[in-house]
Amino acid sequence: MTRARRLTVLGAAAALAGSLVAVPAAAGSAAPARPASADRDSATTATPEKTPVAVGYGGAVSSVDPDASAAGISVLKKGGNAVDAAVATAAALGVTEPYSAGIGGGGYFVSYDARSRSIRTLDGRETAPRSAGKDLFLENGTPLPFDDVVTSGLGVGTPGTAATWDTALRKWGSRSLHQVLRPAQRLAAGGFTVDETFRRQTADNEARFRDFPASARLYLPGGRLPVVGSTMKNPDLARTYGELATKGVGALYDGALGRDIVRTVRKPPVRAGSPRTVRPGDLTAGDLRAYRVLSQAPTRTGYRGLDVYGMAPSSSGGTGVAEALNILEKSEVSRLSEKQYLHRFIEAARIAFADRGRWVGDPAQEDVPTKGLTSQRFADARACLIHDNKALTSPLAPGDPRHPERCGTGGPAAPTTYEGENTTHLTVADKWGNVVAYTLTIEQTGGSGIVVPHRGFLLNNELTDFSFAPASPSVHDPNLPGPGKRPRSSMSPTIVLRHGRPVVALGSPGGATIITTVLQTLVNHLDRGMPLVDAIAAPRASQRNAARTELEPGLWNSPLRRQLEAIGHAFKENPEIGATTGIQRLPDGRWLAAAEKVRRGGGSARVVHRS
């Protein structure tokens, strides 16, 4: 989960090389902000700049955190490419966004290569233990309580993040893992300043953290919640990053670090006297050794003369965004009224989620008709369900992308299963025109709640993204657990090209709302003509084949809600949906980086050289 950004106490944390001087912040105070003109790589710089939009040359980084964006920018300034900078930014997020991402989790990496004008992707999703079966979360034939599985070893999947970094750098980077981990290593050692949101998120996890001594020592210093304005350091994570830097990711997948992970999962270190039942997991050293990041083709669909690329299954993001765009393709969205536009947007999302629930899972173990789901023919067959004067009802039955029939169905309806809403996203571009959209996560805010002792990072609870049991007994569920299986995700890192050159790249956190957030931001920008930063800031709706569509306050309090209710839509309020970051290539060759203005405290968009 992203959060309101903190002012850093580590002004030079993002430097790739050279000495570092940490400047502690006084409790309750913050270091002075950088002037907007001070866009330079200097050891004397105090606070990295935080702004929702930046325009300039030499490359760009957009993330949820100023320290992380500064880390990526420093790599670009030292001559690194977009892949190098993406890994550096992600590693820094593991320090400053530890409840959202880190080496205890996984994610999806989508990259554009300017030389070949091609898109390539890495599936770094976590995997279930090889011993897992469909009954992984059943006890006496009944699904276990969701919260019990979250805070356990049972929900921990084999982490994929470190392997993703290593694979991306080896395939497409120009710097070593040792080099790009330096900014994050220094940031972990020097610390960052705690803000209200970090304190609140810690408070939300306090009961869980107190039950695990390693978690309590790190996040409840002195047995208390961290004080706003105090410095949060993580020397254990600094040492862990140092070990990865010197020994490589083999330390995690076939070394001492991996053994510590396995020991923690199989025998969760619960404090003596805790009343909490913490189930062990069955992760083994063999599972770690067997883990592989998957290089695979992206999803692709044409949209109004553009090529939209996304992440193929095990994510449902690429297929979901593509299908909904294809459904909207035949609508003149730019000419529609706000009511008509929102109605069709909601219905396109509803249909796409009905189809993803029936068809999308890990393609290594499920027959996923990816080409059919992203085809215009299938979308046209499904689009005929939409009527301008009447809303559809959910759960909506899926179609059959293998044999599209006009308004046809592929079986009975099933509701969308629950998916946690927390992760983080970053977008990077470099001076050569390469682009990366990277979404990574540990699933729930705080993941499993279990810090690996003496290692400084939280383990994921990613296996809870599996269906615990079929949503409907009469409908095949492609997202049940299985040996070595990857749980379905909604992460949707997306890159849009025109004639082989980048137009825009973006992504968001938000669990299943990621798909609707990316979709709505794209349509706002590409069809409705909004500048990227305004397309990101616009109030959101999220329909996921549920009885009610979620609306942010800007739409909930709008006359549009009543107009849509009049044709059968039902709504519920959601105070905040997603937290997008994106990058746009301007016609004159400059990069525009954009992030949230307000959501989760706003984001951090930066460029190498401002113009």
Side-chain angles (χ1 to χ4, degrees):
M1 177 179 183
T2 56
R3 54 186 173 79
R5 316 305 336 128
R6 299 161 305 281
L7 294 176
T8 184
V9 297
L10 195 60
L16 255 179
S19 61
L20 175 76
V21 178
V23 182
S29 66
R34 289 179 58 178
S37 61
D39 192 16
R40 64 189 187 277
D41 189 16
S42 169
T44 62
T45 300
T47 302
E49 183 179 7
K50 176 185 172 184
T51 177
V53 64
V55 180
Y57 297 96
V61 178
S62 183
S63 82
V64 297
D65 181 86
D67 291 307
S69 293
I73 288 291
S74 75
V75 170
L76 295 176
K77 287 183 175 180
K78 298 289 185 178
N81 66 21
V83 172
D84 305 322
V87 174
T89 304
L93 287 168
V95 180
T96 62
E97 295 290 308
Y99 302 156
S100 304
I103 58 172
Y108 298 100
F109 195 100
V110 178
S111 175
Y112 168 78
D113 177 58
R115 179 174 296 178
S116 64
R117 299 189 185 182
S118 62
I119 302 287
R120 54 273 175 102
T121 77
L122 296 175
D123 181 331
R125 184 68 159 156
E126 302 88 340
T127 57
R130 292 174 296 175
S131 62
K134 292 183 178 181
D135 60 349
L136 179 64
F137 299 129
L138 301 181
E139 194 169 86
N140 300 320
T142 301
L144 291 165
F146 183 83
D147 288 344
D148 288 1
V149 179
V150 168
T151 309
S152 75
L154 193 61
V156 179
T158 306
T161 291
T164 302
W165 296 351
D166 182 64
T167 303
L169 291 171
R170 285 189 293 102
K171 282 178 170 287
W172 311 312
S174 67
R175 298 292 186 267
S176 68
L177 184 64
H178 186 277
Q179 290 173 302
V180 301
L181 285 180
R182 285 177 188 169
Q185 188 177 353
R186 290 169 175 165
L187 185 59
F192 59 87
T193 302
V194 172
D195 70 358
E196 291 282 1
T197 304
F198 188 87
R199 178 183 169 90
R200 184 176 67 251
Q201 290 186 349
T202 308
D204 290 343
N205 280 287
E206 183 177 4
R208 294 203 300 160
F209 287 170
R210 289 197 183 282
D211 283 335
F212 301 100
S215 304
R217 278 194 299 271
L218 179 56
Y219 296 121
L220 301 169
R224 296 180 296 275
L225 290 171
V227 176
V228 174
S230 65
T231 302
M232 174 65 68
K233 298 182 179 182
N234 193 339
D236 284 345
L237 183 57
R239 286 189 291 270
T240 297
Y241 277 169
E243 186 171 342
L244 290 173
T246 56
K247 297 181 180 179
V249 296
L252 192 153
Y253 294 98
D254 194 18
L257 176 55
R259 290 192 290 273
D260 288 347
I261 291 173
V262 169
R263 185 181 305 113
T264 304
V265 172
R266 297 182 69 85
K267 191 175 181 180
V270 187
R271 69 172 173 84
S274 169
R276 188 184 299 273
T277 299
V278 182
R279 291 174 171 80
D282 198 31
L283 186 72
T284 67
D287 291 318
L288 290 179
R289 285 193 297 271
Y291 184 83
R292 296 292 183 272
V293 171
L294 303 179
S295 299
Q296 60 190 48
T299 59
R300 177 196 168 278
T301 191
Y303 187 69
R304 308 197 193 286
L306 303 170
D307 294 304
V308 181
Y309 291 90
M311 195 68 218
S314 57
S315 179
S316 64
T319 57
V321 170
E323 182 180 352
L325 285 175
N326 287 338
I327 290 170
L328 293 171
E329 177 83 35
K330 299 298 176 67
S331 298
E332 292 189 74
V333 177
S334 63
R335 297 174 179 268
L336 297 177
S337 68
E338 282 295 314
K339 173 193 170 185
Q340 291 170 324
Y341 158 54
L342 281 171
H343 169 64
R344 293 191 193 180
F345 164 78
I346 288 168
E347 300 297 58
R350 189 194 311 269
I351 293 168
F353 267 88
D355 297 330
R356 89 137 194 180
R358 169 61 183 85
W359 298 106
V360 181
D362 183 349
Q365 300 187 29
E366 301 288 338
D367 183 12
V368 183
T370 300
K371 288 186 178 180
L373 287 167
T374 58
S375 71
Q376 190 65 52
R377 180 187 174 207
F378 179 57
D380 291 345
R382 299 291 277 159
C384 73
L385 296 170
I386 300 175
H387 301 284
D388 282 340
N389 58 357
K390 183 179 181 181
L392 295 167
T393 57
S394 292
L396 183 72
D400 188 344
R402 302 166 305 177
H403 308 288
E405 295 182 6
R406 182 173 173 79
C407 299
T409 63
T416 298
T417 54
Y418 176 78
E419 183 177 340
E421 295 188 357
N422 309 306
T423 181
T424 192
H425 178 83
L426 61 98
T427 320
V428 179
D430 64 29
K431 62 184 178 182
W432 297 283
N434 303 303
V435 178
V436 171
Y438 181 24
T439 315
L440 61 160
T441 184
I442 59 171
E443 215 278 335
Q444 177 139 320
T445 304
S448 64
I450 306 171
V451 167
V452 180
H454 311 296
R455 293 298 188 172
F457 63 90
L458 286 153
L459 292 172
N460 69 83
N461 63 289
E462 213 65 58
L463 300 188
T464 61
D465 274 352
F466 283 122
S467 303
F468 284 26
S472 172
S474 60
V475 180
H476 173 73
D477 190 332
N479 192 40
L480 293 173
K485 192 173 183 180
R486 296 170 191 241
R488 181 175 62 210
S489 170
S490 295
M491 288 185 272
S492 308
T494 302
I495 298 178
V496 180
L497 306 182
R498 178 185 285 112
H499 305 309
R501 297 185 182 278
V503 173
V504 66
L506 54 82
S508 176
T513 70
I514 293 173
I515 293 173
T516 57
T517 295
V518 168
L519 173 66
Q520 191 169 6
T521 305
L522 284 172
V523 176
N524 282 344
H525 180 58
L526 300 176
D527 285 310
R528 307 292 283 180
M530 294 184 186
L532 183 58
V533 69
D534 294 333
I536 289 171
R540 293 181 182 137
S542 183
Q543 167 54 238
R544 306 186 299 281
N545 200 23
R548 293 187 291 171
T549 299
E550 295 177 11
L551 297 181
E552 286 187 324
L555 290 173
W556 178 262
N557 297 320
S558 164
L560 287 169
R561 174 167 67 95
R562 291 184 291 277
Q563 294 171 22
L564 290 167
E565 286 173 338
I567 61 171
H569 287 280
F571 298 106
K572 66 177 179 179
E573 189 174 11
N574 184 332
E576 192 171 80
I577 298 173
T580 302
T581 72
I583 285 177
Q584 178 186 3
R585 186 68 155 179
L586 299 177
D588 61 7
R590 293 180 299 165
W591 291 109
L592 182 150
E596 295 287 354
K597 294 180 179 179
V598 176
R599 292 184 187 91
R600 316 289 173 92
S604 176
R606 298 192 61 178
V607 292
V608 173
H609 301 295
R610 280 186 175 275
S611 61

